[in-house]
């Protein structure tokens, strides 16, 4: 399975983030770099949430209430995967 895109809105330090990779370049390693507080962990936890589903958020050892940005009423995570063939 490959992650092809991640779209995050209003979660923790991330107001809006869209990350995409061409399917031809999806295989291999992708490095997430950034300053402290830039949203690296939120990016990775968002992918984990998409994999396990919202009903299992507590298995990620973080309260669901802690996910939203302070001023936001709702947040979204959209992750698009492809099957490794």
């Amino acid at each position: 399975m490959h992650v092809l895109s991640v779209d995050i809105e209003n979660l923790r330090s991330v107001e809006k983030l869209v990350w995409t990779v061409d399917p031809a370049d999806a295989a291999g390693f992708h490095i997430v770099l950034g300053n402290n507080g830039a949203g690296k962990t939120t990016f990775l936890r968002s992918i984990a949430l998409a994999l396990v589903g919202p009903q299992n958020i507590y298995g990620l050892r973080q309260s669901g209430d802690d996910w939203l940005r302070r001023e936001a009423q709702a947040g979204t995570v959209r992750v698009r995967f492809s099957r490794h063939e």
Side-chain angles (χ1 to χ4, degrees), residues 23-78:
D25 298 326
F29 291 94
H30 300 274
I31 299 171
V32 180
L33 298 173
N35 293 331
N36 289 343
K40 300 177 300 291
T41 301
T42 299
F43 177 77
L44 296 173
R45 285 183 177 172
S46 296
I47 295 170
L49 176 61
L51 285 169
V52 301
Q55 65 277 13
N56 294 314
I57 192 171
Y58 298 106
L60 299 176
R61 298 180 188 247
Q62 185 174 9
S63 167
D65 296 334
D66 294 336
W67 279 76
L68 284 180
R69 289 175 57 86
R70 287 193 179 124
E71 64 277 5
Q73 296 298 312
T76 60
V77 176
R78 292 178 201 92

